[in-house]
PDB file of all heavy atoms in Angstrom:
ATOM      1  N   GLN A1567       8.613   4.239 -13.802  1.00 90.00           N
ATOM      2  CA  GLN A1567       9.338   3.440 -14.787  1.00 90.00           C
ATOM      3  C   GLN A1567       8.424   3.032 -15.936  1.00 90.00           C
ATOM      4  O   GLN A1567       8.805   3.101 -17.112  1.00 90.00           O
ATOM      5  CB  GLN A1567       9.935   2.210 -14.111  1.00 90.00           C
ATOM      6  CG  GLN A1567      11.017   2.532 -13.093  1.00 90.00           C
ATOM      7  CD  GLN A1567      11.521   1.299 -12.366  1.00 90.00           C
ATOM      8  OE1 GLN A1567      11.191   0.175 -12.742  1.00 90.00           O
ATOM      9  NE2 GLN A1567      12.310   1.502 -11.325  1.00 90.00           N
ATOM     10  N   SER A1568       7.200   2.612 -15.613  1.00 90.00           N
ATOM     11  CA  SER A1568       6.252   2.215 -16.654  1.00 90.00           C
ATOM     12  C   SER A1568       5.797   3.409 -17.487  1.00 90.00           C
ATOM     13  O   SER A1568       5.735   3.338 -18.721  1.00 90.00           O
ATOM     14  CB  SER A1568       5.033   1.533 -16.018  1.00 90.00           C
ATOM     15  OG  SER A1568       5.408   0.383 -15.288  1.00 90.00           O
ATOM     16  N   LEU A1569       5.503   4.512 -16.823  1.00 91.00           N
ATOM     17  CA  LEU A1569       5.027   5.698 -17.531  1.00 91.00           C
ATOM     18  C   LEU A1569       6.129   6.336 -18.374  1.00 91.00           C
ATOM     19  O   LEU A1569       5.857   6.884 -19.446  1.00 91.00           O
ATOM     20  CB  LEU A1569       4.477   6.709 -16.527  1.00 91.00           C
ATOM     21  CG  LEU A1569       3.232   6.260 -15.751  1.00 91.00           C
ATOM     22  CD1 LEU A1569       2.857   7.294 -14.705  1.00 91.00           C
ATOM     23  CD2 LEU A1569       2.063   6.020 -16.691  1.00 91.00           C
ATOM     24  N   ARG A1570       7.352   6.254 -17.909  1.00 90.00           N
ATOM     25  CA  ARG A1570       8.473   6.803 -18.676  1.00 90.00           C
ATOM     26  C   ARG A1570       8.653   6.048 -19.990  1.00 90.00           C
ATOM     27  O   ARG A1570       8.854   6.660 -21.051  1.00 90.00           O
ATOM     28  CB  ARG A1570       9.748   6.719 -17.837  1.00 90.00           C
ATOM     29  CG  ARG A1570      10.997   7.268 -18.540  1.00 90.00           C
ATOM     30  CD  ARG A1570      12.229   6.969 -17.710  1.00 90.00           C
ATOM     31  NE  ARG A1570      12.370   5.534 -17.491  1.00 90.00           N
ATOM     32  CZ  ARG A1570      13.231   5.003 -16.609  1.00 90.00           C
ATOM     33  NH1 ARG A1570      13.982   5.790 -15.851  1.00 90.00           N
ATOM     34  NH2 ARG A1570      13.312   3.693 -16.477  1.00 90.00           N
ATOM     35  N   ASP A1571       8.553   4.717 -19.929  1.00 88.00           N
ATOM     36  CA  ASP A1571       8.668   3.919 -21.153  1.00 88.00           C
ATOM     37  C   ASP A1571       7.509   4.211 -22.109  1.00 88.00           C
ATOM     38  O   ASP A1571       7.699   4.294 -23.322  1.00 88.00           O
ATOM     39  CB  ASP A1571       8.694   2.430 -20.809  1.00 88.00           C
ATOM     40  CG  ASP A1571       9.944   2.047 -20.013  1.00 88.00           C
ATOM     41  OD1 ASP A1571      10.941   2.796 -20.084  1.00 88.00           O
ATOM     42  OD2 ASP A1571       9.899   1.014 -19.319  1.00 88.00           O
ATOM     43  N   LEU A1572       6.326   4.360 -21.558  1.00 89.00           N
ATOM     44  CA  LEU A1572       5.163   4.646 -22.395  1.00 89.00           C
ATOM     45  C   LEU A1572       5.261   6.042 -23.011  1.00 89.00           C
ATOM     46  O   LEU A1572       4.845   6.260 -24.154  1.00 89.00           O
ATOM     47  CB  LEU A1572       3.886   4.516 -21.566  1.00 89.00           C
ATOM     48  CG  LEU A1572       2.561   4.564 -22.340  1.00 89.00           C
ATOM     49  CD1 LEU A1572       2.484   3.409 -23.325  1.00 89.00           C
ATOM     50  CD2 LEU A1572       1.380   4.512 -21.366  1.00 89.00           C
ATOM     51  N   TRP A1573       5.810   6.993 -22.267  1.00 87.00           N
ATOM     52  CA  TRP A1573       5.962   8.358 -22.763  1.00 87.00           C
ATOM     53  C   TRP A1573       6.891   8.402 -23.979  1.00 87.00           C
ATOM     54  O   TRP A1573       6.682   9.196 -24.904  1.00 87.00           O
ATOM     55  CB  TRP A1573       6.498   9.254 -21.655  1.00 87.00           C
ATOM     56  CG  TRP A1573       6.842  10.646 -22.098  1.00 87.00           C
ATOM     57  CD1 TRP A1573       8.071  11.239 -22.061  1.00 87.00           C
ATOM     58  CD2 TRP A1573       5.965  11.632 -22.629  1.00 87.00           C
ATOM     59  NE1 TRP A1573       8.017  12.520 -22.534  1.00 87.00           N
ATOM     60  CE2 TRP A1573       6.718  12.798 -22.898  1.00 87.00           C
ATOM     61  CE3 TRP A1573       4.604  11.644 -22.908  1.00 87.00           C
ATOM     62  CZ2 TRP A1573       6.171  13.945 -23.427  1.00 87.00           C
ATOM     63  CZ3 TRP A1573       4.045  12.799 -23.437  1.00 87.00           C
ATOM     64  CH2 TRP A1573       4.820  13.929 -23.695  1.00 87.00           C
ATOM     65  N   GLN A1574       7.883   7.553 -24.018  1.00 86.00           N
ATOM     66  CA  GLN A1574       8.772   7.504 -25.171  1.00 86.00           C
ATOM     67  C   GLN A1574       8.013   7.103 -26.434  1.00 86.00           C
ATOM     68  O   GLN A1574       8.343   7.567 -27.539  1.00 86.00           O
ATOM     69  CB  GLN A1574       9.925   6.521 -24.907  1.00 86.00           C
ATOM     70  CG  GLN A1574      10.879   6.977 -23.801  1.00 86.00           C
ATOM     71  CD  GLN A1574      11.964   5.965 -23.520  1.00 86.00           C
ATOM     72  OE1 GLN A1574      11.976   4.869 -24.078  1.00 86.00           O
ATOM     73  NE2 GLN A1574      12.900   6.322 -22.641  1.00 86.00           N
ATOM     74  N   GLU A1575       6.998   6.261 -26.282  1.00 86.00           N
ATOM     75  CA  GLU A1575       6.190   5.850 -27.429  1.00 86.00           C
ATOM     76  C   GLU A1575       5.178   6.929 -27.827  1.00 86.00           C
ATOM     77  O   GLU A1575       4.891   7.116 -28.998  1.00 86.00           O
ATOM     78  CB  GLU A1575       5.461   4.544 -27.112  1.00 86.00           C
ATOM     79  CG  GLU A1575       6.369   3.368 -26.786  1.00 86.00           C
ATOM     80  CD  GLU A1575       5.574   2.117 -26.444  1.00 86.00           C
ATOM     81  OE1 GLU A1575       4.363   2.088 -26.745  1.00 86.00           O
ATOM     82  OE2 GLU A1575       6.154   1.179 -25.876  1.00 86.00           O
ATOM     83  N   TYR A1576       4.646   7.609 -26.831  1.00 82.00           N
ATOM     84  CA  TYR A1576       3.559   8.561 -27.077  1.00 82.00           C
ATOM     85  C   TYR A1576       4.043   9.993 -27.299  1.00 82.00           C
ATOM     86  O   TYR A1576       3.251  10.855 -27.662  1.00 82.00           O
ATOM     87  CB  TYR A1576       2.597   8.559 -25.882  1.00 82.00           C
ATOM     88  CG  TYR A1576       1.676   7.380 -25.814  1.00 82.00           C
ATOM     89  CD1 TYR A1576       1.988   6.184 -26.434  1.00 82.00           C
ATOM     90  CD2 TYR A1576       0.475   7.457 -25.128  1.00 82.00           C
ATOM     91  CE1 TYR A1576       1.152   5.097 -26.362  1.00 82.00           C
ATOM     92  CE2 TYR A1576      -0.392   6.378 -25.055  1.00 82.00           C
ATOM     93  CZ  TYR A1576      -0.038   5.198 -25.667  1.00 82.00           C
ATOM     94  OH  TYR A1576      -0.882   4.130 -25.595  1.00 82.00           O
ATOM     95  N   HIS A1577       5.326  10.232 -27.067  1.00 80.00           N
ATOM     96  CA  HIS A1577       5.837  11.606 -27.052  1.00 80.00           C
ATOM     97  C   HIS A1577       5.496  12.381 -28.325  1.00 80.00           C
ATOM     98  O   HIS A1577       4.866  13.446 -28.281  1.00 80.00           O
ATOM     99  CB  HIS A1577       7.355  11.585 -26.830  1.00 80.00           C
ATOM    100  CG  HIS A1577       7.987  12.942 -26.850  1.00 80.00           C
ATOM    101  ND1 HIS A1577       8.462  13.525 -28.009  1.00 80.00           N
ATOM    102  CD2 HIS A1577       8.229  13.832 -25.854  1.00 80.00           C
ATOM    103  CE1 HIS A1577       8.950  14.718 -27.744  1.00 80.00           C
ATOM    104  NE2 HIS A1577       8.840  14.931 -26.435  1.00 80.00           N
ATOM    105  N   ASP A1578       5.906  11.863 -29.466  1.00 81.00           N
ATOM    106  CA  ASP A1578       5.705  12.584 -30.716  1.00 81.00           C
ATOM    107  C   ASP A1578       4.228  12.787 -31.022  1.00 81.00           C
ATOM    108  O   ASP A1578       3.812  13.866 -31.478  1.00 81.00           O
ATOM    109  CB  ASP A1578       6.379  11.835 -31.862  1.00 81.00           C
ATOM    110  CG  ASP A1578       7.896  11.808 -31.718  1.00 81.00           C
ATOM    111  OD1 ASP A1578       8.425  12.670 -30.988  1.00 81.00           O
ATOM    112  OD2 ASP A1578       8.538  10.917 -32.307  1.00 81.00           O
ATOM    113  N   LEU A1579       3.428  11.755 -30.766  1.00 81.00           N
ATOM    114  CA  LEU A1579       1.996  11.845 -31.055  1.00 81.00           C
ATOM    115  C   LEU A1579       1.322  12.915 -30.207  1.00 81.00           C
ATOM    116  O   LEU A1579       0.585  13.767 -30.721  1.00 81.00           O
ATOM    117  CB  LEU A1579       1.332  10.494 -30.819  1.00 81.00           C
ATOM    118  CG  LEU A1579      -0.197  10.454 -30.949  1.00 81.00           C
ATOM    119  CD1 LEU A1579      -0.620  10.827 -32.365  1.00 81.00           C
ATOM    120  CD2 LEU A1579      -0.731   9.084 -30.556  1.00 81.00           C
ATOM    121  N   LEU A1580       1.582  12.896 -28.910  1.00 81.00           N
ATOM    122  CA  LEU A1580       0.923  13.853 -28.016  1.00 81.00           C
ATOM    123  C   LEU A1580       1.432  15.272 -28.239  1.00 81.00           C
ATOM    124  O   LEU A1580       0.671  16.237 -28.113  1.00 81.00           O
ATOM    125  CB  LEU A1580       1.141  13.431 -26.559  1.00 81.00           C
ATOM    126  CG  LEU A1580       0.458  12.122 -26.143  1.00 81.00           C
ATOM    127  CD1 LEU A1580       0.772  11.785 -24.692  1.00 81.00           C
ATOM    128  CD2 LEU A1580      -1.046  12.211 -26.340  1.00 81.00           C
ATOM    129  N   ILE A1581       2.714  15.400 -28.568  1.00 80.00           N
ATOM    130  CA  ILE A1581       3.245  16.731 -28.867  1.00 80.00           C
ATOM    131  C   ILE A1581       2.595  17.292 -30.128  1.00 80.00           C
ATOM    132  O   ILE A1581       2.224  18.472 -30.200  1.00 80.00           O
ATOM    133  CB  ILE A1581       4.779  16.686 -29.022  1.00 80.00           C
ATOM    134  CG1 ILE A1581       5.442  16.363 -27.675  1.00 80.00           C
ATOM    135  CG2 ILE A1581       5.300  18.017 -29.570  1.00 80.00           C
ATOM    136  CD1 ILE A1581       5.242  17.395 -26.608  1.00 80.00           C
ATOM    137  N   SER A1582       2.443  16.454 -31.143  1.00 81.00           N
ATOM    138  CA  SER A1582       1.830  16.908 -32.395  1.00 81.00           C
ATOM    139  C   SER A1582       0.364  17.280 -32.220  1.00 81.00           C
ATOM    140  O   SER A1582      -0.160  18.124 -32.955  1.00 81.00           O
ATOM    141  CB  SER A1582       1.958  15.817 -33.463  1.00 81.00           C
ATOM    142  OG  SER A1582       1.215  14.658 -33.094  1.00 81.00           O
ATOM    143  N   MET A1583      -0.295  16.663 -31.255  1.00 82.00           N
ATOM    144  CA  MET A1583      -1.703  16.972 -31.000  1.00 82.00           C
ATOM    145  C   MET A1583      -1.868  18.243 -30.161  1.00 82.00           C
ATOM    146  O   MET A1583      -2.991  18.704 -29.965  1.00 82.00           O
ATOM    147  CB  MET A1583      -2.368  15.788 -30.293  1.00 82.00           C
ATOM    148  CG  MET A1583      -2.455  14.530 -31.148  1.00 82.00           C
ATOM    149  SD  MET A1583      -3.118  13.119 -30.238  1.00 82.00           S
ATOM    150  CE  MET A1583      -4.772  13.698 -29.870  1.00 82.00           C
ATOM    151  N   ASN A1584      -0.735  18.763 -29.640  1.00 80.00           N
ATOM    152  CA  ASN A1584      -0.745  20.012 -28.878  1.00 80.00           C
ATOM    153  C   ASN A1584      -1.700  19.946 -27.679  1.00 80.00           C
ATOM    154  O   ASN A1584      -2.472  20.861 -27.416  1.00 80.00           O
ATOM    155  CB  ASN A1584      -1.135  21.187 -29.786  1.00 80.00           C
ATOM    156  CG  ASN A1584      -0.792  22.520 -29.140  1.00 80.00           C
ATOM    157  OD1 ASN A1584       0.145  22.621 -28.344  1.00 80.00           O
ATOM    158  ND2 ASN A1584      -1.568  23.553 -29.450  1.00 80.00           N
ATOM    159  N   VAL A1585      -1.628  18.834 -26.941  1.00 80.00           N
ATOM    160  CA  VAL A1585      -2.480  18.672 -25.765  1.00 80.00           C
ATOM    161  C   VAL A1585      -1.781  19.268 -24.553  1.00 80.00           C
ATOM    162  O   VAL A1585      -0.565  19.485 -24.548  1.00 80.00           O
ATOM    163  CB  VAL A1585      -2.810  17.187 -25.522  1.00 80.00           C
ATOM    164  CG1 VAL A1585      -3.607  16.616 -26.676  1.00 80.00           C
ATOM    165  CG2 VAL A1585      -1.538  16.377 -25.293  1.00 80.00           C
ATOM    166  N   SER A1586      -2.535  19.524 -23.498  1.00 83.00           N
ATOM    167  CA  SER A1586      -1.984  20.115 -22.292  1.00 83.00           C
ATOM    168  C   SER A1586      -1.212  19.074 -21.479  1.00 83.00           C
ATOM    169  O   SER A1586      -1.312  17.862 -21.728  1.00 83.00           O
ATOM    170  CB  SER A1586      -3.102  20.701 -21.434  1.00 83.00           C
ATOM    171  OG  SER A1586      -3.953  19.672 -20.961  1.00 83.00           O
ATOM    172  N   GLN A1587      -0.468  19.553 -20.486  1.00 83.00           N
ATOM    173  CA  GLN A1587       0.274  18.641 -19.610  1.00 83.00           C
ATOM    174  C   GLN A1587      -0.666  17.698 -18.871  1.00 83.00           C
ATOM    175  O   GLN A1587      -0.382  16.514 -18.717  1.00 83.00           O
ATOM    176  CB  GLN A1587       1.099  19.451 -18.602  1.00 83.00           C
ATOM    177  CG  GLN A1587       2.226  20.272 -19.205  1.00 83.00           C
ATOM    178  CD  GLN A1587       3.392  19.417 -19.671  1.00 83.00           C
ATOM    179  OE1 GLN A1587       3.467  18.236 -19.346  1.00 83.00           O
ATOM    180  NE2 GLN A1587       4.282  20.006 -20.434  1.00 83.00           N
ATOM    181  N   GLY A1588      -1.796  18.243 -18.422  1.00 84.00           N
ATOM    182  CA  GLY A1588      -2.760  17.407 -17.721  1.00 84.00           C
ATOM    183  C   GLY A1588      -3.315  16.306 -18.601  1.00 84.00           C
ATOM    184  O   GLY A1588      -3.495  15.167 -18.152  1.00 84.00           O
ATOM    185  N   GLN A1589      -3.588  16.607 -19.852  1.00 87.00           N
ATOM    186  CA  GLN A1589      -4.100  15.600 -20.780  1.00 87.00           C
ATOM    187  C   GLN A1589      -3.047  14.541 -21.074  1.00 87.00           C
ATOM    188  O   GLN A1589      -3.372  13.357 -21.221  1.00 87.00           O
ATOM    189  CB  GLN A1589      -4.552  16.276 -22.070  1.00 87.00           C
ATOM    190  CG  GLN A1589      -5.809  17.110 -21.912  1.00 87.00           C
ATOM    191  CD  GLN A1589      -6.137  17.907 -23.157  1.00 87.00           C
ATOM    192  OE1 GLN A1589      -5.251  18.437 -23.835  1.00 87.00           O
ATOM    193  NE2 GLN A1589      -7.426  18.000 -23.482  1.00 87.00           N
ATOM    194  N   LYS A1590      -1.804  14.961 -21.180  1.00 87.00           N
ATOM    195  CA  LYS A1590      -0.720  13.984 -21.383  1.00 87.00           C
ATOM    196  C   LYS A1590      -0.646  13.027 -20.198  1.00 87.00           C
ATOM    197  O   LYS A1590      -0.528  11.807 -20.377  1.00 87.00           O
ATOM    198  CB  LYS A1590       0.616  14.714 -21.545  1.00 87.00           C
ATOM    199  CG  LYS A1590       0.738  15.574 -22.783  1.00 87.00           C
ATOM    200  CD  LYS A1590       2.047  16.340 -22.769  1.00 87.00           C
ATOM    201  CE  LYS A1590       2.142  17.319 -23.924  1.00 87.00           C
ATOM    202  NZ  LYS A1590       3.378  18.136 -23.866  1.00 87.00           N
TER     203      LYS A1590
END
Side-chain angles (χ1 to χ4, degrees):
Q1567 294 176 10
S1568 300
L1569 295 175
R1570 180 188 58 192
D1571 295 339
L1572 189 62
W1573 173 242
Q1574 293 177 355
E1575 300 178 15
Y1576 284 23
H1577 178 270
D1578 294 339
L1579 174 62
L1580 293 179
I1581 293 296
S1582 65
M1583 294 175 64
N1584 196 29
V1585 297
S1586 65
Q1587 293 287 348
Q1589 290 173 321
K1590 294 175 186 176

